[in-house]
Amino acid sequence: MDEVRLLQDMGLVLVAAAAAALAARPLRLPSIVAWLMAGLMLGPILGWVVLDPATAKEGGVGLAAKIGIALLLFLVGLELSFRTIRDIGAVSVLGGVAQMGTTALVGWGVSRALGFPGGAALFIGIALSFSSTVVVVRLLEERGDLQDTYGRISVGILLVQDLAVVIVMTVLAGIAAGGGGGVLSTLRPVGIAFGGMALLVVAAFGIASRLFPRPFAWISRFPEALLVWSLAWCFLLIFAAGLLGLSLELGAFLAGISLAQLPWAHALRRRVAPLVTFFLALFFVGLGIQMDLGSALADWSTVLALTAFVLLGKPILLLLVVPRLGFGERTATLAGITLGQASEFAFILAGVAQGIGLIDARTTAVIGGVGILTMGTSAVLIPRSRRLYAALRRLRLLRIFRAPHEGRRDRELGVGGPHGPGEGMRDHVIVVGMNALGRAIVQGLQSRGVATLAIDTDPAKLEGLGGAQLVGSADDPEMLHGAGIERARLVVSALRIEDANLLLAWRSRLLGVPVAIHAFDPSVVEELLETGVTHLMDSKMAGARGTAALLGARGIYG
Amino acid sequence: MRELALLLLAAAVAHGVALRLRIPAIPLLIFAGFGLRWAAPPPERFLQEALLLGVAFLVFAAGVELDPGRARARGGLAVRIGLVQFAVLGAGGVATALLFGAGVSTALWLGLTLTASSTLVVVRLLQQRGALFESWGRLTVGVLLLQDLLVILLIPVLSGLPEGIAPVARGLLGTLFLLVLAGAFYRYGTPRLLARVAGDGETLLLTALALLFVFLFLASTFRLPLVTGAFLGGVALSGFPLSGLLRGPLSSIRDFFTAIFFVALGASLGQPTGPEWMLALAFALLVPLLTLPVVAWSAERAGFSARPALMAGLLLSQTSEFSLVAGLQGLATGQLDEGVFRVITLVTLLTMTATPLLASDGVSLRLLHLHPSRRARTAEGEAPSGHVLLLGCGSGGMPLLETLRLAPSPVVVMDDDPRVVAFLRESGVEAHRGDASDPRALARVGIDRARVVVSTLRSAADNHEVLRAAAGVPVLVRVFEERERRWVEAHGGVPVPVADLAASDFLQWVDRRGWERPDELDDLEAQETI
């Protein structure tokens, strides 16, 4: 075993990923762009790293990169609860299909004009029609715009695109199985691939909806086991997809979406996310290292032309489509700016397509170059989208896109309608740990008319409680963010876990939110006070007072 | 992907069965690996990579949990007891291995693998029993952290030993350098890192993982075992609040790799032979036979009473995931053969499975009857009567005692901690050292003649004994959870619902303060709490 080589490769990639992420923070670049840049620096630019060809494909870093893609799709699938689909379904499907269709068509035309052959041009058009879920969701979340109408539409369109990616993957799998024969010999495996997909969908949803609810409800009380069970399901479906000649991405996505319907899916998402970060960083830095930068630079004019198409063409097409679905120019403009980049899936699709001979290395390099440039530009534009919209409005450039009845759906959809339990909450009290103390506090606050959000890792402990609820760990910043900790009037922890309490107190004080912590033992008090807690709940002292009162009632004391 | 799917499927089954049977998952994960090797053996290269990454992340996560600052503040006694146990177990292991005909080098490795107890298993059991913050619970955790540290420090020594003194000295110097580096990062790097990326979990996680690989690289440069680098890389990040910020994301990665690691370990082992089983059984018996008396005796000498000292001994009576890590290192250096490594794995498998059964209330109560203090005949004095009997005067009982002393009835206290008893006697309180699970001790403090009994004991078995011995005297029992309240009521006691009372205090605070200026620390209440 060449263990030193494996650790060396993985170590270099991770160190580069971390350094790039740190360097990218002041520039507010999304991490994916930073990772790709790090890979480009390590590989094509400085030539410091050449990944071991054996491990780059099957073992070590290569396998880790594959796991990264699989877990990313598993995570995307986990986001797709039927409720999310219902809320924004019709708008997203219409908007998404129209946007993808027009972008693919225009992209095909632009690519043909740039000299690409028909097949490659169509592929470029399709690949560039997708926008980056990771970049957009990350930036919208940072800005708190996920619940704005444009944010919800953008996410809806992205989810439709994710579904379309899966279909494209299936088609590519069919083409791969068909080899280089005629149309029939290509269509037949495509048909078989769709048959396999239908079979997998029925099996995945059948098992998840009929067999999983009870055992998973039980195992969800144990976070470690829940993670292992869910990942086992994910990789089993990947394995099954492989047996049916389908892509691993499809298997992972189906595993995610089949589990997304179960009540603890959001807790699972938070557990899977760090694994995605780890494996995806390996994937993207590795991709950068292996990227054919020479070809992209040799084709710089093509890359720039396609980049301009994505940055300008996509928003313009959305400005044409979205107002015709009843939305106003503000929603259309902001959604257009938000979705004006290529997707990480463009890299993945290009890799698969090149593998089966559908496109050549030059096309892959061009798509890679366009991806990096558009993601980087988007990361700069999205945080400034409102200012950009105001400028465009002042210049009266948006008038040409106006449609009848525009803005009607903005009013219907509104800005509210929270997705996460805490996302629409303000001045609420977050209570962590639903032991007897936590439950009594939640019930007491509710009886006083205070809005509460109860959190516990065990869904069973949340049963029967009113108010908003979240399943998850108080250690998890994403979960606290989802609980709206920044807008809470008070955070309370009833936990009897010293480390979790200390961290929660520290985080709350950092955000300037008052915090009351259960001081369940005198030995934990000093450190809690050092973090600056607002109030300590001393249950032992309360017990002493209660005992004295009971003794008093018996005439023994007082 | 097929191999990963099978490994995870095996891990999922193992986790499910372990939870159902209420035993630690690690033995079942290894056992699932055995099964996988038999049903669909994964390729050797895949297993080796899974083991390598699994060890790195497992040991790294353990390092992140070891906060030297906090350990130092709490662990003087744990260090003394831990060192005694480490020395006795190590010597016993080496002697037994030599007795079975092993070479010196093999015997030393075997001895080292017996010295560590499982942090993963013991901390979970302590949490399940709500004893993590009992004084004996803290002692046990302190001993565990010390063992992990000692094993990690000794692995490079044993690895270099066959090549002579120079490699050992080089190994020690290299370890010292990494230790200093970890300390420097702990002290100076942590605040800077926090200032830069405290709010960005993703970058923080990547930076932590990058640091792990930097330490792995340095360990490899100094020709140290990789586990030394991984552990010290973790220690570098173990300060608060950094370790807390990392705990969530790292736990996902650790859980994934731990599951893969133990299954891969099982899958990479061949079928144990008869003599290997015999040797493993001998060592598996040796672990509790030495650990229990050594820890219990040391803890009692340090002032603990018999019951908690016994519980600490029982809980520490297993070998550790670090034993497997050490064994793998011995295997990698060629000093151990696969047969010996199988023995080490079997010992871990047997002792970890036995721990929840051994460390039960039932076993500790039976062992108490064999304890010299119970067998010795004690002079029976006149038991008090008409008194208020307070059972347990730790952090829960002390505030109550202050109040009870104002009552007209005399107060008698029984506690199992000699230091508490001595302190109370010095303060003029009638205090007796004794264990509530011992009916004779309860009789000595006149439980059936008391006016009222107040129990602050946590153990249901102890409270059961108290309620039985009280024979009609009202017994007030502190309870936290609803199910405890129902249990006490069903057994004739009067529950004192601590959680409800604390919630009521909190709600009064809310009502009193309102929401206008809740941001200030309530100094008065904080001082009261202190």
Side-chain angles (χ1 to χ4, degrees), chain A residues 243-556:
Chain A
L243 290 180
L244 293 166
L246 301 167
S247 66
L248 72 98
E249 290 84 355
L250 175 69
F253 181 77
L254 277 179
I257 198 170
S258 63
L259 294 184
Q261 315 313 321
L262 299 172
W264 36 262
H266 53 280
L268 182 60
R269 279 200 294 275
R270 286 188 286 273
R271 292 278 287 155
V272 174
L275 277 169
V276 175
T277 299
F278 170 66
F279 285 112
L280 215 55
L282 292 174
F283 169 71
F284 278 108
V285 179
L287 196 72
I289 291 173
Q290 293 170 73
M291 196 168 271
D292 186 359
L293 194 64
S295 296
L297 285 176
D299 264 331
W300 64 270
S301 55
T302 312
V303 171
L304 283 184
L306 284 172
T307 300
F309 159 65
V310 172
L311 288 175
L312 295 173
K314 270 192 176 183
I316 289 173
L317 290 172
L318 276 165
L319 272 166
L320 287 169
V321 171
V322 175
R324 271 142 197 89
L325 296 171
F327 292 94
E329 63 175 27
R330 175 185 177 277
T331 301
T333 313
L334 294 180
I337 296 167
T338 304
L339 295 174
Q341 76 289 118
S343 162
E344 56 277 6
F345 289 122
F347 305 128
I348 297 167
L349 288 175
V352 175
Q354 192 188 335
I356 60 174
L358 197 66
I359 57 172
D360 57 14
R362 176 203 164 211
T363 312
T364 307
V366 167
I367 291 173
V370 174
I372 290 181
L373 281 177
T374 54
M375 281 187 197
T377 313
S378 257
V380 179
L381 293 182
I382 293 175
R384 295 162 181 82
S385 58
R386 286 205 171 87
R387 265 188 278 169
L388 215 56
Y389 164 65
L392 290 171
R393 214 172 161 204
R394 271 198 304 277
L395 295 170
R396 302 187 175 191
L397 284 175
L398 299 170
R399 287 180 163 198
I400 46 175
F401 299 107
R402 282 197 172 158
H405 311 299
E406 70 160 48
R408 175 177 54 84
R409 294 279 291 131
D410 278 315
R411 291 183 289 277
E412 282 173 19
L413 202 59
V415 175
H419 282 223
E423 281 171 12
M425 296 182 85
R426 179 170 290 282
D427 286 338
H428 55 302
V429 177
I430 297 172
V431 187
V432 179
M434 287 306 107
N435 51 30
L437 175 59
R439 289 175 71 90
I441 287 173
V442 167
Q443 284 157 355
L445 288 171
Q446 285 173 356
S447 71
R448 285 160 170 78
V450 178
T452 59
L453 192 152
I455 297 175
D456 202 285
T457 51
D458 182 354
K461 289 187 180 169
L462 292 160
E463 276 170 18
L465 279 174
Q469 298 165 6
L470 261 176
V471 179
S473 159
D475 286 347
D476 181 356
E478 293 297 319
M479 203 215 45
L480 293 175
H481 181 65
I485 187 171
E486 303 88 347
R487 300 179 301 280
R489 61 166 68 165
L490 179 66
V491 173
V492 183
S493 173
L495 291 173
R496 288 185 283 182
I497 307 171
E498 182 184 16
D499 292 332
N501 280 346
L502 273 173
L503 190 63
L504 185 66
W506 182 80
R507 277 211 172 101
S508 303
R509 297 308 297 160
L510 209 62
L511 293 166
V513 181
V515 58
I517 299 283
H518 182 194
F520 56 92
D521 192 273
S523 62
V524 303
V525 168
E526 195 178 330
E527 274 189 282
L528 280 172
L529 288 176
E530 281 172 15
T531 60
V533 289
T534 317
H535 178 69
L536 287 172
M537 297 182 287
D538 188 337
S539 54
K540 289 194 167 162
M541 190 66 85
R545 283 198 285 267
T547 310
L550 274 173
L551 291 174
R554 288 169 181 268
I556 294 165

Side-chain angles (χ1 to χ4, degrees), chain B residues 249-270:
Chain B
L250 265 187
S251 70
S252 294
I253 294 174
R254 184 204 56 204
D255 292 347
F256 173 76
F257 280 107
T258 304
I260 299 274
F261 168 72
F262 288 115
V263 178
L265 187 76
S268 62
L269 291 175

